[in-house]
Amino acid sequence: KFQILTVNGDPMRLYDSGDLARHRLTGEIEFLGRIDNQVKVRGYRIELGEIESQLLTLPSVKKQLVIAREDEPGNKILVAYIVLNSGINITVEEIKEQLRKNLPEYMVPSAFVFLEEMPLTVNGKIDRKALPIPGKIKSTTIDSYEEPKTGIEEVLANIWCAVLGLEKV
């Protein structure tokens, strides 16, 4: 989408990219972020609202929030924070299976955090700064764990643990 502007009488196109920026006195344009909830993860542009709406189609999900976290520099992942309806249980694999039916693989969150309630600010909005880090909560990303069976698997598992900053892979 674009608008036609005129500068000194000459027509010019101005594209609406969804980026938030400001024009500095030095003439530079400073990028401040995004106007919408679109993020870029592993080279893909992702609209977080699409993932959130798919999560809400699950009968067990009461509230949800999907964000892109970069707790380690250069490692941005999608994290889904979910509040379940009372009395209904669902596993991470069941959620992923349902999401894969309607979303491409790159839009399925890498980590899931189940909360009793979403943390709120004094204004009643979700307090994104108070959301827990996925790795700090037990069993948010791993449903089942299988010990390495061979020496090679153990070496590879130790390498991946070091690279990903996890206790088990």
Side-chain angles (χ1 to χ4, degrees), residues 18-24 29-35:
D19 292 330
L20 179 62
R22 70 176 173 188
H23 203 245
R24 302 192 69 160
I29 296 175
E30 181 181 4
F31 175 73
L32 301 173
R34 297 283 304 170
I35 295 171

Side-chain angles (χ1 to χ4, degrees), residues 10-112:
D10 295 328
M12 216 174 105
R13 283 188 183 176
L14 176 67
Y15 289 89
D16 183 6
S17 65
D19 292 330
L20 179 62
R22 70 176 173 188
H23 203 245
R24 302 192 69 160
L25 294 176
T26 60
E28 297 173 330
I29 296 175
E30 181 181 4
F31 175 73
L32 301 173
R34 297 283 304 170
I35 295 171
D36 54 15
N37 282 335
Q38 193 179 81
V39 295
K40 192 170 186 178
V41 177
R42 294 182 302 276
Y44 294 101
R45 285 246 175 244
I46 300 169
E47 185 65 48
L48 298 176
E50 290 181 46
I51 303 168
E52 291 174 349
S53 66
Q54 288 300 317
L55 283 168
L56 272 183
T57 64
L58 303 174
S60 56
V61 175
K62 180 179 178 182
K63 293 181 184 175
Q64 86 304 333
L65 175 70
V66 178
I67 63 170
R69 289 192 72 119
E70 190 171 0
D71 296 319
E72 296 176 23
N75 185 24
K76 190 182 285 189
I77 63 169
L78 293 174
V79 180
Y81 293 91
I82 298 173
V83 176
L84 296 174
N85 285 313
S86 59
I88 300 177
N89 290 328
I90 190 168
T91 66
V92 170
E93 277 310 310
E94 290 172 330
I95 294 173
K96 285 184 175 184
E97 185 180 317
Q98 291 298 317
L99 291 177
R100 285 184 184 115
K101 289 179 181 177
N102 297 309
L103 295 173
E105 185 64 33
Y106 68 86
M107 289 180 73
V108 176
S110 302
F112 292 81

